[in-house]
Amino acid sequence: MSPVPPAVDTSAPREPARPPASVRRRHDREIVALALPAFGALVAEPLFVMVDSAVVGHLGTAQLAGLGVAAALLTTAVNIFVFLAYATTAAVARRVGAGDLPAALRQGMDGIWLALLIGVLVIAAVLPTAPGLVGFFGASHTAAPYASTYLRISSLGIPAMLMVLAATGVLRGLQDTRTPLYVAVGGFTVNAGLNAALVYGAGLGIAGSAWGTVIAQNGMAAVYLAMVVRGARAQAPGTWRSMLRPDAAGIRACARAGVPLLVRTISLRAVLMIATAVAARLGDTEIAAHQITLTVWSLLAFALDAIAIAGQAIIGRYLGASDAAGARAACNRMIQWGLVCGAALGLLVVLARPLVGPLFSSDPAVRHALASALLVVAVAQPVCGVVFVLDGVLMGAGDGPYLAGSMLVTLAVFAPVAFAVPAVGGGLTALWWAMGLMMLTRFAALWLRSRSGRWVVTGASR
């Protein structure tokens, strides 16, 4: 508990005076120093699946199809619990801002223990139900055995994957995004080598690919744990072992803080699933173009999410230091970054549109549908830039309940509009305009919250 109770900035919302150039430059340096390595780590994560796909793809079509189904299930299972990184980042950053590094590490360990607990529960759920899950996702009778094999083996790495999420949050809270980048690149490299060795060298087939990924993920978790242990020994030489033991109260507190972010994440995943379901109803051409558009959208999201991650760490630190003015100034500067980066990405999409279609498809109909959808994506990017930044700011402030509520409202607005697209004869472009409406709804909710100042709650804990 914080010795000083949290304080809420209840002053009337107002436009702050423009900070001097030196302050803006300091904010810029902080944002760049945190965002660039975060972007590299975010991009490195999907490379695990890409390496597995490249190696398994040479085994045969059925094996690759099985991998695709299993990887989709695993990615969904892990992404649902991304709050382990977000909530831990905010909590640790507050303690850092308050100048209490031992408490920051204890808070981080609570998140890691929660990740381990959730991971064990997920394994217990996946192992006996793997064939049923694979069948539910529509795997063919030839691909299903490979999907079940990969899913069962890879599920053994889920605790490590979730612990990596939590540990990444610890380091982000400590204002370190470089180490997660190094660990991600190292994990990717080891995974690539093990996949080749086990699949072909040892002749294990798709099972070898799964074991290679599990070993690499556990190795990454071990590296993070070693770093946490080293940090604990440095901060509390005489009592460091007690800092690493599980604390039931601390784990429960982490779980409570994570529930609203879990609701937010599930709501966001529901939006994407609805969009894909509607695209599938529009026809094969539309669903093909939609998947390509969604791939581009996801890549752009990595760039914008890197700024949001910087926002989580920086805002949490300022609020922990009881510097409300600094938090507001950093928020305003990051909004400017989000707007500029979003506009730049939108322009890049417009310029790259003629190249994207031929890169992904040779079907003229798919290319035509894709070109229109990508134009909508380009127009939406400035809004997306601000939304991602404000999402990160409010996460850094620990404003999870508001994020959960606003995302539920967004889902309620988006769902009927999206489902109405086929009914009114709309096509893929109309569906992506509905996605744009979804982002505008999020923008309105997050902008109102940021201007209200109710997120500015100072102190070592919210």
Side-chain angles (χ1 to χ4, degrees):
M1 296 292 293
S2 170
V4 180
V8 180
D9 186 350
T10 57
S11 58
R14 62 186 183 278
E15 285 298 321
R18 182 177 174 83
S22 60
V23 174
R24 295 197 301 274
R25 285 195 296 270
R26 187 181 76 241
H27 287 316
D28 291 343
R29 287 194 297 269
E30 286 184 327
I31 293 168
V32 171
L34 291 171
L36 282 181
F39 174 69
L42 289 170
V43 171
E45 290 170 9
L47 294 178
F48 274 82
V49 176
M50 290 180 63
V51 166
D52 288 5
S53 299
V55 173
V56 171
H58 291 286
L59 294 175
T61 301
Q63 289 90 332
L64 184 58
L67 172 64
V69 172
L73 285 164
L74 287 166
T75 301
T76 300
V78 173
N79 285 346
I80 284 175
F81 299 112
V82 73
F83 73 84
L84 290 165
Y86 294 158
T88 305
T89 297
V92 171
R94 277 184 176 269
R95 299 288 186 178
V96 169
D100 192 349
L101 286 179
L105 289 170
R106 282 195 296 271
Q107 192 96 45
M109 278 306 305
D110 291 336
I112 291 172
W113 279 111
L114 177 61
L116 179 60
L117 176 61
I118 293 173
V120 170
L121 293 176
V122 173
I123 288 179
V126 169
L127 283 179
T129 61
L133 290 172
V134 167
F136 179 77
F137 268 68
S140 67
H141 70 280
T142 55
Y146 297 112
S148 296
T149 296
Y150 189 92
L151 181 59
R152 277 180 166 151
I153 296 173
S154 291
S155 68
L156 301 177
I158 287 178
M161 294 166 72
L162 297 184
M163 290 170 69
V164 166
L165 280 178
T168 300
V170 174
L171 290 174
R172 289 173 181 171
L174 294 171
Q175 316 297 296
D176 177 9
T177 56
R178 288 182 179 273
T179 300
L181 171 61
Y182 299 148
V183 175
V185 172
F188 162 73
T189 304
V190 171
N191 180 54
L194 286 173
N195 264 260
L198 295 176
V199 171
Y200 298 117
L204 296 179
I206 195 170
S209 176
W211 280 118
T213 301
V214 168
I215 294 169
Q217 289 161 347
N218 278 276
M220 292 169 66
V223 170
Y224 277 124
L225 288 175
M227 295 183 65
V228 172
V229 170
R230 186 177 65 183
R233 295 181 68 173
Q235 292 299 320
T239 60
W240 65 272
R241 287 184 176 84
S242 64
M243 293 174 61
L244 304 179
R245 296 192 187 107
D247 176 61
I251 294 172
R252 285 195 299 269
C254 284
R256 284 194 299 270
V259 167
L261 295 180
L262 177 62
V263 172
R264 167 204 168 272
T265 301
I266 292 175
S267 301
L268 184 56
R269 298 292 299 182
V271 165
L272 299 177
M273 289 175 66
I274 289 171
T276 300
V278 171
R281 293 183 185 182
L282 296 175
D284 290 347
T285 296
E286 286 75 11
I287 186 61
H290 174 75
Q291 288 303 114
I292 299 170
T293 306
L294 198 58
T295 299
V296 174
W297 175 280
S298 300
L299 181 60
L300 298 173
F302 282 138
L304 298 176
D305 202 28
I307 305 175
I309 288 169
Q312 293 170 31
I314 293 171
I315 294 298
R317 191 188 76 233
Y318 274 114
L319 294 178
S322 297
D323 186 354
R328 288 180 182 274
C331 172
N332 290 330
R333 190 57 176 168
M334 281 183 282
I335 289 173
Q336 295 170 7
W337 269 80
L339 185 62
V340 171
C341 289
L345 290 173
L347 179 60
L348 181 62
V349 171
V350 171
L351 296 175
R353 272 197 318 156
L355 305 175
V356 174
L359 181 64
F360 286 94
S361 176
S362 58
D363 186 337
V366 171
R367 292 184 186 181
H368 178 74
L370 177 64
S372 299
L374 286 178
L375 188 58
V376 180
V377 170
V379 171
Q381 286 312 295
V383 173
C384 293
V386 177
V387 166
F388 273 76
V389 164
L390 291 179
D391 211 36
V393 166
L394 297 186
M395 283 183 189
D399 205 10
Y402 184 84
L403 289 170
S406 64
M407 198 61 226
L408 286 172
V409 170
T410 300
L411 176 60
V413 170
F414 170 76
V417 175
F419 283 126
V421 169
V424 300
L428 184 65
T429 303
L431 175 60
W432 274 92
W433 279 120
M435 290 285 285
L437 173 64
M438 179 269 294
M439 295 305 296
L440 280 173
T441 305
R442 292 184 70 190
F443 172 86
L446 298 178
W447 182 263
L448 288 173
R449 186 65 166 183
S450 70
R451 296 300 95 182
S452 74
R454 294 177 183 175
W455 58 276
V456 185
V457 181
T458 58
S461 62
R462 185 178 173 94

